[in-house]
Amino acid sequence: MNFDAHCDIWTDVTHHYLNQEHDIFRKYHYERLKKGQIEGGIFVIWNDPPFDADPLKRTHQMMAAITQEEPECADILKVSRSYEDMMKAKEEGKMYAFIGLEGLKSIGEDVDMIDEFYKFGARHASLTWNEENPLATGALGTPERGLTDLGKRAVHKLEDLGMILDVSHLNDTSFWDLLSTAHGPVVATHSNSRALCNQRRNLMDDQLKELARTGGIAGLNSFNEFVHAEEDKQTVENLVKHLVHMVEVMGIDHVGFGFDFSEFLCGDTLSSFSSQANPYTIGLEDASHVPNVIAEMKRVGFHEDEIEKIAYKNWHRIIKEVIK
């Protein structure tokens, strides 16, 4: 089974919710995830363009959609708020989803608003998406700008609450500022190796090593532009090369999956970050094709126990250790 540490399904759920639909996860996502042997993951609340113009309004829309969806799909999906919730879902044969926050643009300068999101059920957060905000600077922001004093307060609050702290999307300066501020494990839920594909969203080897030093994890990202600069080489085979390199740099206990599938996102949202016609890696078009990654891992020499660590056990360890 596989744990996906970064999934945008709540974005699609919200789209259908605003069209007055119900039981959305079952209709549009369940079978695909089941075919891909995805047992669960982190489903994020994201202020997706163009709705990021009013990020708090969009966040509250998404929370309302989750509130409607949770009881309607409770027989197949458990919205989990603890390690015990996750294990109970597995015992009952259900999928599970932790609520994440992809960026905290919606809180403005009110760090205490994180408490509201925690009470709702959020157990993961990153400080930014690609933008600059009052807390930190994303990958497309001013390179020299890092965490603010407010951002450091947010880091401490997230750690005190027992939320998974995520550096994916931060620029390099903010990355290093956060690592010098945090005390516990820090993760990058969906970032590849910059040594293999020179994208700002990917991580350099010294960054990967530092995440491992904290006890954290880097999650392999299936977004094609983070795999290879040439479109015809954006393949599962080259994606697994990132995995091999990350394991060599970080160790087998510090790498997982964070696929970031986006083929179901609407055009305006997708075009805000994708410069190609399709956003997927060849052979990994959506979650149903995840077995292709496992097959390639076996082909290049990963043993079964190593595959299990990367597929789900490493993320389970983080959840058990961090989430209170």
Side-chain angles (χ1 to χ4, degrees):
M1 301 303 289
N2 303 299
F3 182 100
D4 185 357
H6 188 85
C7 179
D8 288 303
I9 280 177
W10 294 143
T11 299
D12 190 60
V13 166
T14 303
H15 168 75
H16 292 285
Y17 163 80
L18 293 173
N19 287 331
Q20 311 303 315
E21 293 187 55
H22 289 263
D23 208 11
I24 299 157
F25 177 79
R26 190 190 316 271
K27 288 180 185 176
Y28 296 101
H29 297 283
Y30 179 63
E31 290 301 327
R32 183 178 68 254
L33 296 178
K34 190 175 179 181
K35 186 176 179 181
Q37 300 177 347
I38 304 292
E39 66 169 32
I42 299 173
F43 292 11
V44 294
I45 292 174
W46 170 44
N47 302 140
D48 49 317
F51 306 104
D52 55 339
D54 191 341
L56 185 57
K57 177 182 177 181
R58 186 59 168 178
T59 296
H60 284 151
Q61 285 178 338
M62 297 187 79
M63 291 166 70
I66 294 167
T67 299
Q68 173 185 282
E69 189 71 6
E70 184 171 356
E72 293 183 345
C73 66
D75 59 317
I76 56 172
L77 178 72
K78 184 174 183 61
V79 178
S80 298
R81 293 164 174 86
S82 66
Y83 178 82
E84 290 73 23
D85 281 353
M86 175 180 72
M87 298 310 293
K88 184 177 181 182
K90 285 170 63 69
E91 290 169 8
E92 295 174 349
K94 300 177 183 178
M95 291 182 188
Y96 56 86
F98 289 92
I99 298 170
L101 303 169
E102 186 173 20
L104 291 173
K105 183 179 181 181
S106 61
I107 72 171
E109 298 184 359
D110 186 2
V111 171
D112 290 334
M113 194 177 292
I114 295 171
D115 292 320
E116 173 191 339
F117 299 147
Y118 181 84
K119 289 174 183 175
F120 178 73
R123 296 295 182 267
H124 152 281
S126 56
L127 299 185
T128 74
W129 187 54
N130 286 330
E131 84 288 345
E132 293 184 12
N133 65 36
L135 306 177
T137 307
L140 302 185
T142 306
E144 298 78 20
R145 184 179 185 269
L147 258 65
T148 64
D149 288 340
L150 207 62
K152 293 173 183 177
R153 281 181 53 202
V155 168
H156 293 316
K157 177 173 277 292
L158 293 168
E159 289 193 311
D160 289 345
L161 288 170
M163 295 176 66
I164 295 171
L165 188 56
D166 187 358
V167 296
S168 286
H169 281 287
L170 290 180
N171 71 355
D172 292 344
T173 304
S174 293
F175 174 99
W176 291 114
D177 285 351
L178 188 147
L179 267 291
S180 67
T181 302
H183 297 101
V186 177
V187 308
T189 52
H190 56 303
S191 296
N192 292 342
S193 164
R194 202 180 301 181
L196 273 64
C197 182
N198 188 20
Q199 280 270 3
R200 283 177 287 185
R201 274 279 291 102
N202 289 339
L203 296 175
M204 298 179 290
D205 285 358
D206 58 346
Q207 293 175 310
L208 294 171
K209 288 176 183 176
E210 188 65 12
L211 289 180
R213 185 199 62 76
T214 73
I217 297 176
L220 188 73
N221 191 329
S222 74
F223 179 56
N224 52 7
E225 294 182 38
F226 299 162
V227 176
H228 200 284
E230 300 174 37
E231 288 192 38
D232 63 342
K233 295 180 180 177
Q234 294 166 349
T235 62
V236 166
E237 291 77 14
N238 281 324
L239 178 64
V240 172
K241 287 180 182 178
H242 283 264
L243 187 63
V244 171
H245 181 79
M246 289 155 70
V247 169
E248 289 174 348
V249 171
M250 303 180 75
I252 195 68
D253 295 321
H254 302 285
V255 181
F257 295 148
F259 289 118
D260 197 14
F261 292 116
S262 54
E263 82 287 343
F264 50 80
L265 297 178
C266 66
D268 287 347
T269 297
L270 196 58
S271 63
S272 70
F273 62 86
S274 178
S275 64
Q276 297 177 194
N278 295 308
Y280 50 74
T281 289
I282 299 165
L284 190 56
E285 288 77 10
D286 59 42
S288 69
H289 296 277
V290 170
N292 291 343
V293 177
I294 304 299
E296 179 63 11
M297 290 172 67
K298 291 178 180 177
R299 190 189 72 80
V300 300
F302 282 101
H303 301 301
E304 198 64 40
D305 60 330
E306 295 174 322
I307 292 172
E308 287 181 352
K309 284 187 174 186
I310 292 168
Y312 69 93
K313 286 184 176 179
N314 289 340
W315 284 117
H316 284 194
R317 170 181 60 81
I318 287 288
I319 290 164
K320 189 174 185 179
E321 181 178 348
V322 175
I323 295 178
K324 296 178 180 177

